[in-house]
Amino acid sequence: MTISKKLKKSMEQGSWIRKMFEEGILLKSKIGADKVYDLSLGNPIFEPPSKFTQLLKEYIEKPTAGLHRYMPNAGLPETRSAVAKNLSTEIGLRFTKDDIVMTCGAGGALNIIIKTLLDPGDEIIVLAPYFAEYFFYADNHGGKCVVLDHDSNFMPNLSMLDDVVNEKTKMVIVNSPNNPSGVVYPKTVLDELGIIIKNLELKYGRDIFIVSDEPYRKIIYDDTSYNHIFSSHPNTIVATSHSKDLGLAGERIGYVAVNPNNENKTEIIDGLTFSNRVLGFVNAPALMQHLITHLQSETVNIEQYKINRDFLWENLTEIGYEVIKPQGAFYMFPKSPIEDDLAYVSKLRENNVLVVPGSGFGSPGYFRISYCVDDHTLKGSIEGFRKVFRDHR
Ligand SMILES: Cc1ncc(COP(=O)(O)O)c(C=O)c1O
């Protein structure tokens, strides 16, 4: 075998999202793309705001000297200042550029955080349902993920946290608005998590960080408010990106923000900056940093995602599916009408509807629908959802 056995195994376990993606390609080539309703991927369909395109043109037509050169590993000072200013307004805490490191997306952000904080063998608590890549990210840096289960509203079972934390725990990853459930954790849940973690830090005599992975922070609906993590615990770090809120997933631009009140923040920022360098990211893409400096208060058309959410939720509940109405992100996580989510997803696939089994997110018995899709795909999928539901009633 040429490639490492360990990597080969990881690739085989892979991710369900990838598997569905590949099956989708196969099905589309067999019966035609317009007959397959692919709701498996979280790839934003709406274009970035018009201000992005306008700025991009300006930078291309009148490039400033050194636009494409290396820069400090933490990113352009003016970009970090713009991010800090926007966060200060949004959150009400005083951030400066020295609390920010620009990254290659939220994925890059999580990897530099994990590399900075974990020693080999350390553990990360992930809250189900979770983004499956966390397991690979932890493994990249010699860490291991341990799962904390959820209740019927997809809220973490915090009363069980004591059972999964031990002397090796270094981090808890929180993802709200959540992929795959679309729920937004209320402030009470974040505060309770902070209190429990503080007590566990005392018990084990070590820092335990709460890392908030929040690329969907600005995609929230109705009167739901975004609850930031920083007031819940001093050892808090945000990992985020503009993949979803500005529709720039392919451009790999994001950032880390460290709690400005953390007493070790300089050491942490230095560690993150070094990790950005030695993981080979070096720095976040230069042109994107220039552009997003001017786009901190912009978003894609979130109203359109809300229209999709309402359409899908109304249709699924009318058919009879049990599904919590998402408050954010662009995913829905209905209960599978039969216990075996893999079998149900496969029945949907036989009816040309592609979704991802909940097992891939640590929550068997559910399945994930991604509604960041065009109208044809969204509307066309309903017949398949109805037929398979009736067949299994
Ligand atoms: C919960 C969550 N975290 C992180 C990421 C990675 O985002 P990025 O494209 O910014 O690396 C995603 C992407 O889908 C996600 O859903």
Side-chain angles (χ1 to χ4, degrees):
M1 194 185 293
T2 309
I3 66 170
S4 101
K5 290 187 205 77
K6 185 177 168 192
L7 189 82
K8 185 98 180 158
K9 200 168 151 215
S10 298
M11 285 165 69
E12 278 157 13
Q13 287 165 345
S15 103
W16 273 102
I17 303 174
R18 242 329 98 184
K19 269 184 203 151
M20 298 313 292
F21 180 62
E22 278 152 21
E23 289 193 16
I25 293 176
L26 209 67
L27 194 59
K28 282 173 196 166
S29 72
K30 261 195 216 155
I31 64 166
D34 61 323
K35 296 192 187 67
V36 179
Y37 306 104
D38 189 349
L39 304 142
S40 65
L41 273 188
N43 202 358
I45 52 151
F46 299 124
E47 296 304 330
S50 56
K51 195 170 167 194
F52 172 84
T53 326
Q54 189 191 317
L55 280 165
L56 184 58
K57 259 194 208 150
E58 284 169 24
Y59 272 99
I60 288 171
E61 280 164 10
K62 287 190 207 135
T64 48
L67 183 64
H68 306 294
R69 288 185 196 146
Y70 286 130
M71 65 181 74
N73 300 119
L76 293 167
E78 64 268 33
T79 308
R80 295 161 69 206
S81 293
V83 167
K85 189 168 170 231
N86 178 65
L87 278 180
S88 306
T89 315
E90 235 184 84
I91 286 175
L93 284 176
R94 201 177 160 273
F95 289 85
T96 72
K97 70 171 179 26
D98 299 329
D99 304 316
I100 311 294
V101 175
M102 301 309 298
T103 64
C104 293
L110 289 163
N111 270 282
I112 65 169
I113 294 170
I114 297 171
K115 181 165 181 69
T116 300
L117 296 180
L118 256 67
D119 275 309
D122 279 350
E123 294 184 0
I124 300 177
I125 308 295
V126 296
L127 314 182
Y130 51 71
F131 179 56
E133 301 296 277
Y134 296 151
F135 284 71
F136 297 115
Y137 295 167
D139 182 64
N140 285 345
H141 311 289
K144 187 183 140 201
C145 285
V146 177
V147 179
L148 179 71
D149 211 354
H150 59 83
D151 67 15
S152 57
N153 293 314
F154 303 123
M155 289 299 138
N157 278 337
L158 292 180
S159 59
M160 310 291 283
L161 197 53
D162 204 1
D163 298 344
V164 288
V165 169
N166 60 45
E167 64 289 344
K168 293 187 196 148
T169 308
K170 195 65 196 274
M171 189 188 295
V172 179
I173 301 183
V174 173
N175 167 226
S176 168
N178 181 262
N179 172 10
S181 69
V183 304
V184 174
Y185 295 154
K187 183 157 170 37
T188 46
V189 167
L190 299 179
D191 283 350
E192 192 186 342
L193 173 66
I195 291 168
I196 298 173
I197 292 296
K198 266 179 223 156
N199 288 331
L200 290 166
E201 284 182 326
L202 289 174
K203 178 172 170 183
Y204 292 107
R206 70 180 330 213
D207 287 333
I208 301 176
F209 284 80
I210 305 177
V211 173
S212 176
D213 173 27
E214 48 189 61
Y216 304 96
R217 178 171 90 230
K218 291 189 180 170
I219 306 180
I220 47 179
Y221 310 117
D222 310 321
D223 51 4
T224 309
S225 56
Y226 155 67
N227 304 299
H228 71 84
I229 194 76
F230 294 113
S231 60
S232 303
H233 188 38
N235 283 333
T236 35
I237 302 180
V238 157
T240 190
S241 73
H242 293 301
S243 292
K244 317 287 170 162
D245 62 17
L246 291 176
L248 296 175
E251 301 296 351
R252 315 308 304 135
I253 183 72
Y255 63 84
V256 174
V258 176
N259 190 331
N261 298 323
N262 184 287
E263 56 181 9
N264 300 314
K265 67 174 184 176
T266 308
E267 189 190 348
I268 298 170
I269 289 282
D270 287 349
L272 293 167
T273 307
F274 181 77
S275 299
N276 226 10
R277 182 183 121 202
V278 300
L279 283 174
F281 297 128
V282 182
N283 53 251
L287 183 57
M288 287 303 128
Q289 290 197 51
H290 281 286
L291 294 175
I292 62 105
T293 302
H294 311 285
L295 296 169
Q296 286 304 298
S297 47
E298 298 280 327
T299 59
V300 292
N301 183 3
I302 286 159
E303 190 52 31
Q304 189 57 46
Y305 284 136
K306 182 178 176 305
I307 291 171
N308 286 8
R309 176 202 66 165
D310 291 343
F311 173 83
L312 188 63
W313 189 77
E314 277 154 24
N315 275 279
L316 291 184
T317 49
E318 185 264 319
I319 291 169
Y321 283 96
E322 260 182 68
V323 50
I324 289 184
K325 193 172 191 176
Q327 299 158 298
F330 37 56
Y331 307 106
M332 217 171 269
F333 205 47
K335 202 169 174 127
S336 165
I338 54 171
E339 209 179 317
D340 185 346
D341 52 314
L342 303 186
Y344 199 76
V345 163
S346 144
K347 287 286 164 204
L348 284 169
R349 190 172 56 245
E350 283 166 23
N351 286 273
N352 306 334
V353 176
L354 304 179
V355 297
V356 186
S359 298
F361 304 93
S363 297
Y366 296 86
F367 61 91
R368 188 192 79 171
I369 306 173
S370 174
Y371 57 83
C372 56
V373 292
D374 60 33
D375 248 26
H376 168 79
T377 307
L378 193 70
K379 295 193 170 140
S381 68
I382 300 300
E383 195 187 318
F385 282 124
R386 181 171 283 113
K387 180 172 182 309
V388 180
F389 186 86
R390 281 197 186 138
D391 291 349
H392 285 82
R393 206 163 30 180

